[in-house]
């Protein structure tokens, strides 16, 4: 799960009065300079909100894959902390494949998908 989806999931279980403050604190975790600072901010976030939302915070702390984007250079972290770009591309790819309806063999499908991926990469 990406940060955006974790954030939306968390907001679904938070009281309206706490939403603004909890989302500000949660975003501060992601905006840390490095992994160590992020883990420290997560610990502070957990300590602050655990009494009100124990189960939600526990689930959030156990998500190890939330920190994956720190493995990449700082320049591209802003674009990959969310999986929305990937999901959007997959949706458009699925739409293009359906439009084509059938392929003579699996190799033809692979080539079609690769050309779509290469065109997508050229755009960005």
């Amino acid at each position: 799960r990406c940060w955006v989806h974790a954030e939306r999931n968390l907001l679904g279980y938070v009281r309206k009065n706490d939403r603004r403050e909890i989302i500000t604190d949660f975003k501060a975790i992601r905006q840390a300079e490095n992994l160590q600072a992020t883990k420290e901010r997560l610990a502070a976030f957990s300590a602050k909100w655990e009494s009100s939302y124990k189960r939600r915070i526990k689930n959030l702390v156990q998500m190890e894959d939330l920190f994956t984007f720190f493995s990449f250079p700082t320049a591209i972290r802003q674009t990959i902390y969310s999986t929305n770009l990937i999901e959007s591309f997959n949706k458009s790819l699925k739409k293009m494949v359906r439009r084509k309806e059938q392929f003579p063999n699996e190799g033809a499908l692979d080539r079609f998908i690769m050309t779509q991926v290469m065109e997508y990469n050229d755009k960005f």
Side-chain angles (χ1 to χ4, degrees):
R1 186 175 295 163
C2 70
W3 274 91
V4 173
H5 289 103
E7 180 182 310
R8 290 177 188 163
N9 189 32
L10 180 63
L11 282 180
Y13 297 98
V14 172
R15 290 184 294 271
K16 287 187 179 186
N17 297 341
D18 294 339
R19 281 187 183 170
R20 186 172 303 251
E21 187 177 359
I22 203 167
I23 210 59
T24 302
D25 293 347
F26 189 69
K27 284 183 179 180
I29 297 169
R30 178 182 50 84
Q31 295 167 346
E33 311 79 44
N34 56 37
L35 185 58
Q36 182 62 31
T38 300
K39 289 185 177 184
E40 290 170 5
R41 288 183 185 184
L42 181 61
F45 177 83
S46 176
K48 180 178 179 179
W49 293 105
E50 192 172 27
S51 61
S52 302
Y53 304 103
K54 186 173 184 159
R55 188 169 156 201
R56 296 294 149 209
I57 300 303
K58 180 183 173 192
N59 289 343
L60 189 64
V61 170
Q62 291 176 347
M63 293 175 147
E64 295 174 13
D65 56 345
L66 280 179
F67 302 120
T68 303
F69 70 96
F70 276 100
S71 310
F72 296 91
T74 308
I76 64 170
R77 284 184 195 159
Q78 190 67 24
T79 59
I80 62 173
Y81 76 92
S82 169
T83 58
N84 288 344
L85 284 174
I86 297 167
E87 291 171 6
S88 173
F89 175 69
N90 287 341
K91 185 176 180 180
S92 67
L93 186 61
K94 189 174 182 181
K95 191 176 182 180
M96 287 182 251
V97 168
R98 265 200 224 125
R99 226 182 292 151
K100 189 95 166 138
E101 289 189 19
Q102 67 184 55
F103 294 89
N105 55 37
E106 199 169 316
L109 174 62
D110 289 342
R111 284 189 299 279
F112 178 77
I113 289 174
M114 280 310 301
T115 58
Q116 299 305 313
V117 169
M118 290 168 55
E119 285 178 21
Y120 182 80
N121 285 339
D122 288 343
K123 289 180 188 176
F124 299 100

